[in-house]
């Protein structure tokens, strides 16, 4: 029912007005007049009596995987779908609400919840199972939960198969590969100590890795810390095999995000918790900077469910799911305008980025680079903001933007995914095309172009989105891009295709590309297949 999927080539996606979500919680509507035809069925020939067997209708609604907006439309247009269905155990629920509840029960993170936890989530989402379903679907879409993933970290890489197995390769100076050693690995190697544990999400930082299981458990290895990275007190103990994070054992975690001074985790209920860097001027915890206990993020997000978090060098973005629609909050260091509020001041508590309302854009994916950020809207538009050095914002210049600005050069592209790094940005379109822009060092943009006046290995910076033609040659749709998000490492990029094939390019001096480079070679400009199948 989405006009953007009609297949008509002349549709300009960025001109399609956003559909309001408030219809998901409907108010009573006057019933149809008696003389009007409706879907209850009566003596008039030709009418289909839906009420004859509502259980079949419920089965069809659930099996067709209708989205929450479609279920809400059914309620608005027909009393049959919004009146109580009288099915046990919740007799007051309508068929649309029951269908939404049944589809929620199919989600991996919803199944183990108790009745009390489910009702709490329902109230947090706005009092409707349709809103709970939208919350769950939004989280799956923007984090690839339960699907294969590839993560390019600072000097090392993590790859997750669709079945929950984990491979790692690259730098291992602090045990961040999880194999029980501190030896580099230039080929993908299975983390065997995780046998029997189904991993659904991973996050990487400088010298550390965190993995999330389908039961909400968090495993960490590498530097024995959750946040202080290059600055602040450093632990001298390295963890070389995945260990359960005891401080999170009572929180069902579905996502983690590692910044340079802090780590954040997201619970299945949509609550955000952070470690470290918790003094009043930063994340509002009023705790010591090296505090390693998870603390709930205070402020406006305490009672608003979050579906995705993204950590930059010194700030955090949160994609929140409200009855009125999706919104983005930011907190942390505002240097360069990367918090998106029109200023360069810090925010100690999460603050909503209001510009998306002015742009009539419903955010569906957020990405936090080291110094800049990006969002993909439901209509396929891409917005960027923050420091614009090397052209990483894609606006044709190197100017900074303190509020989100639409990337006009992508106006004829419907984006579905965005990834950001240290002054680099990648955008994936709905047909699998990949565009990149920003800093061209380490050949991590995939364009394999060198400026004439540059020295050997000097790469051209790209100020506007440019099609990565080298990825077109793989002849398969790209579904995810991941790139190094650290100012201390030469960047590399991973591209994952629909069937689970993995391609890598950029810096590879530590084995992070999954292959051994030839003598004196430190980077690879063209994407090449990594010998691993993540499908």
């Amino acid at each position: 029912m989405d006009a953007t999927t009609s297949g008509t080539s002349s549709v300009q996606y960025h001109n399609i007005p956003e559909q309001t979500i408030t219809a998901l919680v409907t108010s009573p509507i006057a019933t149809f007049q008696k003389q009007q035809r409706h879907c209850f069925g009566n003596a008039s020939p030709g009418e289909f009596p839906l009420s004859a067997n509502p259980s079949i209708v419920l089965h069809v609604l659930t099996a067709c995987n209708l989205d929450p907006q479609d279920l809400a439309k059914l309620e608005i247009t027909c009393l049959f779908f919004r009146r109580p269905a009288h099915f046990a155990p919740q007799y007051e629920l309508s068929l649309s609400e029951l269908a939404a509840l049944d589809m929620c029960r199919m989600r991996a993170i919803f199944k183990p919840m108790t009745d009390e936890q489910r009702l709490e989530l329902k109230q947090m989402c706005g009092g409707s199972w349709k809103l709970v379903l939208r919350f769950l679907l939004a989280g799956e879409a923007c984090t690839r939960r339960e699907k294969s993933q590839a993560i390019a970290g600072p000097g090392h890489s993590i790859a997750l198969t669709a079945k929950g197995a984990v491979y790692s390769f690259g730098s291992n100076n602090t045990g961040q590969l999880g194999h029980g050693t501190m030896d580099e690995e230039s080929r993908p190697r299975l983390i065997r100590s995780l046998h029997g544990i189904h991993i659904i999400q991973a996050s990487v930082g400088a010298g550390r890795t965190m993995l999330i299981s389908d039961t909400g458990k968090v495993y960490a290895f590498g530097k024995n810390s959750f946040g202080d990275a290059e600055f602040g007190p450093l632990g001298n103990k390295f963890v070389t095999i995945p260990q359960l994070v005891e401080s999170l054992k009572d929180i069902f975690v579905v996502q983690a995000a590692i910044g340079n001074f802090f780590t954040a985790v997201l619970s299945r209920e949509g609550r955000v918790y952070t470690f470290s860097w918790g003094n009043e001027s930063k994340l509002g915890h009023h705790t010591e900077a090296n505090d390693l206990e998870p603390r709930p993020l205070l402020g406006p997000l305490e009672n608003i469910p979050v579906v995705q978090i993204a950590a930059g060098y010194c700030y955090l973005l949160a994609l929140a799911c409200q009855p009125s629609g999706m919104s983005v909050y930011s907190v942390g260091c505002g240097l360069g305008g990367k918090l998106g509020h029109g200023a360069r001041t810090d925010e100690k508590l999460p603050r909503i980025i209001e510009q998306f309302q002015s742009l009539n854009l419903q955010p569906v994916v957020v990405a936090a680079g080291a110094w800049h950020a990006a969002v993909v809207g439901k209509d396929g538009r891409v917005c960027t903001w923050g420091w614009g050095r090397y052209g990483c914002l894609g606006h044709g210049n190197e100017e900074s933007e303190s509020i989100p600005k639409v990337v006009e050069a992508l106006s004829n592209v419907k984006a579905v995914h965005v990834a950001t790094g240290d002054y680099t940005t990648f955008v994936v379109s709905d047909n699998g095309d990949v565009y990149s822009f920003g800093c061209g060092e380490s050949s991590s943009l995939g364009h394999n172009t060198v400026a004439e006046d540059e020295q050997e290995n000097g790469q051209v910076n790209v100020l506007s989105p440019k099609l990565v033609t080298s990825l077109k040659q793989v002849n398969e749709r790209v579904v995810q891009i991941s790139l190094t998000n650290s100012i201390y490492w030469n960047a590399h990029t991973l591209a994952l295709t629909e069937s689970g094939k993995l391609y890598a390019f950029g810096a590879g001096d530590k084995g992070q590309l999954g292959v051994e480079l030839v003598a004196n070679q430190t980077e690879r400009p063209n994407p090449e297949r990594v010998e691993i199948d993540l499908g």
Side-chain angles (χ1 to χ4, degrees), residues 417-441:
H417 174 68
V418 65
T420 49
D422 179 24
Y423 298 120
T424 49
T425 306
F426 278 75
V427 173
V428 181
S429 73
D430 61 341
N431 64 2
D433 284 343
V434 179
Y435 300 81
S436 67
F437 43 97
C439 182
E441 291 183 4

Side-chain angles (χ1 to χ4, degrees), residues 110-122:
F110 190 84
K111 289 179 181 178
M113 297 180 75
T114 65
D115 290 341
E116 291 76 15
Q117 291 170 333
R118 291 176 177 181
L119 289 176
E120 181 183 0
L121 178 60
K122 180 182 178 182

Side-chain angles (χ1 to χ4, degrees), residues 226-358:
F226 285 107
D228 26 77
E230 279 72 23
F231 297 97
L234 293 176
N236 56 12
K237 180 183 177 182
F238 300 143
V239 178
T240 60
I241 59 173
Q243 289 190 2
L244 189 67
V245 180
E246 290 293 333
S247 59
L248 290 170
K249 64 182 180 180
D250 295 326
I251 301 173
F252 195 111
V253 176
V254 294
Q255 190 197 350
I258 301 177
N260 277 67
F261 301 100
F262 68 97
T263 297
V265 296
L266 178 65
S267 76
R268 67 179 171 186
E269 296 82 14
R271 292 190 175 93
V272 182
Y273 298 81
T274 58
F275 301 84
S276 303
W277 213 41
N279 58 58
E280 184 178 0
S281 64
K282 297 297 187 293
L283 297 181
H285 295 158
H286 306 278
T287 58
E288 296 298 323
N290 60 351
D291 179 28
L292 299 184
E293 290 296 316
R295 308 288 180 177
L297 193 59
L298 304 178
L301 288 179
E302 290 182 67
N303 297 307
I304 299 176
V306 171
V307 300
Q308 182 199 0
I309 53 177
Y313 182 77
C314 52
Y315 69 106
L316 181 71
L317 298 179
L319 178 62
C321 187
Q322 298 173 281
S324 58
M326 307 295 288
S327 54
V328 180
Y329 288 76
S330 61
V331 62
C333 173
L335 191 64
K338 58 184 177 291
L339 296 185
H341 303 303
R344 290 168 171 77
T345 55
D346 297 348
E347 297 288 342
K348 67 178 182 179
L349 296 174
R351 178 181 172 187
I352 191 171
I353 300 178
E354 298 177 350
Q355 179 66 6
F356 296 118
Q357 299 175 0
S358 301

Side-chain angles (χ1 to χ4, degrees), residues 149-151 156-160 166-168 176 202 204 209 211 494:
Q149 301 172 32
I151 301 94
H156 74 291
S157 301
I158 301 292
L160 275 60
V166 185
Y167 291 81
S168 61
Q176 63 265 44
V204 297
T209 304
L211 303 175
L494 300 177

Side-chain angles (χ1 to χ4, degrees), residues 4-298:
T4 63
T5 61
S6 64
T8 305
S9 59
S10 61
V11 173
Q12 295 294 313
Y13 296 103
H14 59 283
N15 290 328
I16 297 176
E18 289 291 344
Q19 179 183 351
T20 60
I21 311 298
T22 52
L24 289 172
V25 184
T26 58
S27 57
I29 300 176
T31 58
F32 294 110
Q33 296 299 319
K34 200 169 185 179
Q35 65 271 21
Q36 289 180 308
R37 291 167 62 92
H38 51 75
C39 54
F40 281 109
N42 53 29
S44 302
E47 288 197 353
F48 177 74
L50 293 177
S51 58
N53 199 330
S55 61
I56 293 179
V57 179
L58 177 61
H59 174 75
V60 171
L61 294 180
T62 304
C64 289
N65 288 319
L66 295 182
D67 64 34
Q69 288 83 358
D70 290 333
L71 293 174
K73 290 174 184 177
L74 289 175
E75 286 188 340
I76 293 173
T77 57
C78 183
L79 176 62
F80 174 73
F81 290 101
R82 66 176 181 270
R83 71 176 184 175
H86 303 293
F87 283 148
Q90 300 186 38
Y91 295 95
E92 76 283 359
L93 292 184
S94 67
L95 280 177
S96 294
E97 277 287 279
L98 283 169
L101 177 56
D102 285 348
M103 285 186 276
C104 287
R105 288 170 175 155
M106 298 176 184
R107 319 333 290 187
I109 68 172
F110 190 84
K111 289 179 181 178
M113 297 180 75
T114 65
D115 290 341
E116 291 76 15
Q117 291 170 333
R118 291 176 177 181
L119 289 176
E120 181 183 0
L121 178 60
K122 180 182 178 182
Q123 294 306 312
M124 193 171 181
C125 288
S128 165
W129 291 119
K130 295 185 295 296
L131 289 172
V132 175
L133 178 61
R134 188 187 63 157
F135 165 76
L136 297 174
L137 292 176
E140 291 174 4
C142 60
T143 61
R144 291 189 60 81
R145 189 183 302 148
E146 299 295 313
K147 297 181 180 179
S148 57
Q149 301 172 32
I151 301 94
H156 74 291
S157 301
I158 301 292
L160 275 60
T161 72
K163 295 182 178 180
V166 185
Y167 291 81
S168 61
F169 46 99
S171 177
N172 196 30
N173 60 317
T174 61
Q176 63 265 44
L177 296 186
H179 301 304
T181 72
M182 296 176 65
D183 301 325
E184 289 183 7
E185 298 285 346
S186 60
R187 301 282 182 178
R189 181 180 173 186
L190 179 68
I191 302 181
R192 298 189 180 279
S193 62
L194 293 171
H195 178 71
I197 300 174
H198 185 104
I199 301 298
I200 62 170
Q201 203 267 338
S203 183
V204 297
R208 61 176 57 82
T209 304
M210 296 181 73
L211 303 175
I212 316 298
S213 76
D214 61 346
T215 60
K217 302 301 181 183
V218 181
Y219 299 84
F221 43 101
K223 287 184 180 178
N224 190 25
S225 165
F226 285 107
D228 26 77
E230 279 72 23
F231 297 97
L234 293 176
N236 56 12
K237 180 183 177 182
F238 300 143
V239 178
T240 60
I241 59 173
Q243 289 190 2
L244 189 67
V245 180
E246 290 293 333
S247 59
L248 290 170
K249 64 182 180 180
D250 295 326
I251 301 173
F252 195 111
V253 176
V254 294
Q255 190 197 350
I258 301 177
N260 277 67
F261 301 100
F262 68 97
T263 297
V265 296
L266 178 65
S267 76
R268 67 179 171 186
E269 296 82 14
R271 292 190 175 93
V272 182
Y273 298 81
T274 58
F275 301 84
S276 303
W277 213 41
N279 58 58
E280 184 178 0
S281 64
K282 297 297 187 293
L283 297 181
H285 295 158
H286 306 278
T287 58
E288 296 298 323
N290 60 351
D291 179 28
L292 299 184
E293 290 296 316
R295 308 288 180 177
L297 193 59
L298 304 178

